[in-house]
Amino acid sequence: MFYIYNEKEKKTLGQFFSYLRLNKDIATIDIYKNICSKKVYYEIEKGIPKKNDEYYDQILQRLNLNFYPIDPLSEWLNSYLPLLYHACEYMNQEEIQDLYTDYLQFFKDRKQYFVYEQYDQIFNYLFRYYKDSTYLNSEEIKDVFHLLPIIEEQLQILLIEVVSLSNWNYVGDYKLFDQIFKWCEKYKENVIVMYYRASFYELKLQYIKALNIYEEIEKQSKDNPYRLIRALSGKFSIYKDIDNDKAEETIPLLLNASNDKSLPNRTKKALYYNIGMFYYLHKQYDQAKDYFRMSIKIKKDYANLLMLSSSCSEIGDELPDELDDFEGDMTRYVYVDYFKIKKQKTNEKELESFIMRKVMKELKKECFTEPAWNMFERELARLNKITRNYALLNEYQHLKNKYCKDSYEV
């Protein structure tokens, strides 16, 4: 006897059939053949309920999926998601821990069932970041983008934050920035998402747009210390590039704010990185190095390790030991790879070759941002003092002028 599915279950099953097909790269015909027509199957995937319950039974059987009624999940999500969203918005670690326990209890005997299994994975992604400060890798981000169109709004917003931070601090895939921004535009009035819209404009050096968004976040976040300090940090990140006086005035405020016990370590980590970047850009490498180290002590990541390595290189210090066991997830980590092989006392000509062959390939993708080009221009200049290969440095500078465009707003 076949199970009688209600309309909500049919809609949910159809949408998750679509997710599974995309995520597992299953040919559509292999799902619907001898069950229903192609047209009917696509309507099922779109969430259009079909009267014939056997379609759903047979598709589940073909995909070897176990089914459990979805109503208990829907009821649980209705009460659970507002609590989770609030806890994550305010980064309340005690509430997040309690909600993590509730999540484990609910899914304990259900996560082997289709749809429940996918939601279990969603919550795993969320708690890995909000509870454990762990980023997603590139394959997991790809999985999230397949899930986003079919899940609840609160989960979409929280996953946008997790994906944005994972790409920014761990994966480093340039193409993903545009993909993430499209989702940010969908929720551009949401305080959580606004921060990543501002970060995107900052990345593009469109500072006026970014500052306007950070100021709007401030207005909306008077009762939320976590979001408020992130907005102030964002403004400082811009000031350090365009207004030295305002940036210096902000540093004591940021350091004082970092003493707030309610702030999670990841927020303090971002503060230290921003202050380190201020000193780095003003060639105060000793001070910069201290703040990058403070950030790395909380958690090691690509951005801080790159800037710490460059700071050490600028003043002739030994390159950091943290380079030895760091492995990135995407090609952009070739920047850190340069300092890893430099630490191994590789000869100057090989280092020059590495810059021109491998680093240059990634630099060309960063046509809108100048600091990375400047960093390796200075590296080449130091190597040139020994190799006297001035033609190579001239070639680099020519390429820099060709690819590095000024996109500041005026």
Side-chain angles (χ1 to χ4, degrees), residues 11 15 20 26 52 65 160 165 179 229 231 248 258 286 304 334:
K11 178 180 179 180
Q15 291 174 327
L20 194 68
I26 303 172
N52 190 343
L65 299 171
I160 288 169
L165 286 166
Q179 197 172 354
I229 200 168
E248 283 195 290
S258 71
D286 276 316
N304 279 284
V334 72

Side-chain angles (χ1 to χ4, degrees), residues 344-397:
Q344 296 165 2
K345 309 300 182 185
T346 305
N347 71 60
E348 288 77 10
K349 288 188 176 181
E350 288 182 13
L351 290 173
E352 285 180 332
S353 176
F354 188 91
I355 290 175
M356 298 306 291
R357 288 185 300 106
K358 295 189 176 181
V359 172
M360 178 63 68
K361 182 179 178 181
E362 293 306 307
L363 285 171
K364 288 178 180 179
K365 298 177 183 178
E366 294 201 62
C367 59
F368 50 78
T369 184
E370 196 167 352
W373 283 88
N374 292 340
M375 177 188 295
F376 285 99
E377 182 178 13
R378 293 194 297 272
E379 287 294 323
L380 269 181
R382 280 189 284 274
L383 296 170
N384 264 207
K385 291 179 180 178
I386 298 172
T387 64
R388 307 294 182 183
N389 192 350
Y390 301 117
L392 195 66
L393 180 58
N394 289 335
E395 179 186 354
Y396 181 96
Q397 291 169 337

Side-chain angles (χ1 to χ4, degrees), residues 200-214:
F200 182 87
Y201 287 127
E202 186 179 348
L203 181 70
K204 295 284 190 180
L205 305 182
Q206 297 178 22
Y207 290 151
I208 293 176
K209 286 184 179 180
L211 282 170
N212 287 340
I213 295 174
Y214 286 133

Side-chain angles (χ1 to χ4, degrees), residues 81-106:
L81 289 185
L83 300 175
L84 177 66
Y85 184 87
H86 182 272
C88 294
E89 181 183 8
Y90 283 76
M91 201 56 75
N92 187 315
Q93 293 300 310
E94 288 185 7
E95 290 182 9
I96 289 171
Q97 182 60 52
D98 289 342
L99 289 163
Y100 176 69
T101 303
D102 291 345
Y103 142 70
L104 291 178
Q105 183 63 36
F106 180 80

Side-chain angles (χ1 to χ4, degrees), residues 240 272-282 288 292 307 371:
K240 66 180 168 47
Y272 299 148
Y273 175 79
N274 275 337
I275 296 172
M277 282 302 302
F278 172 78
Y279 286 122
Y280 179 89
L281 293 171
H282 290 85
F292 293 135
M307 301 316 300

Side-chain angles (χ1 to χ4, degrees), residues 211 235-244 246-247 250:
L211 282 170
K235 290 173 70 173
F236 172 76
S237 180
I238 294 174
Y239 289 149
K240 66 180 168 47
D241 290 336
I242 65 174
D243 192 325
N244 185 46
K246 281 189 176 180
T250 310

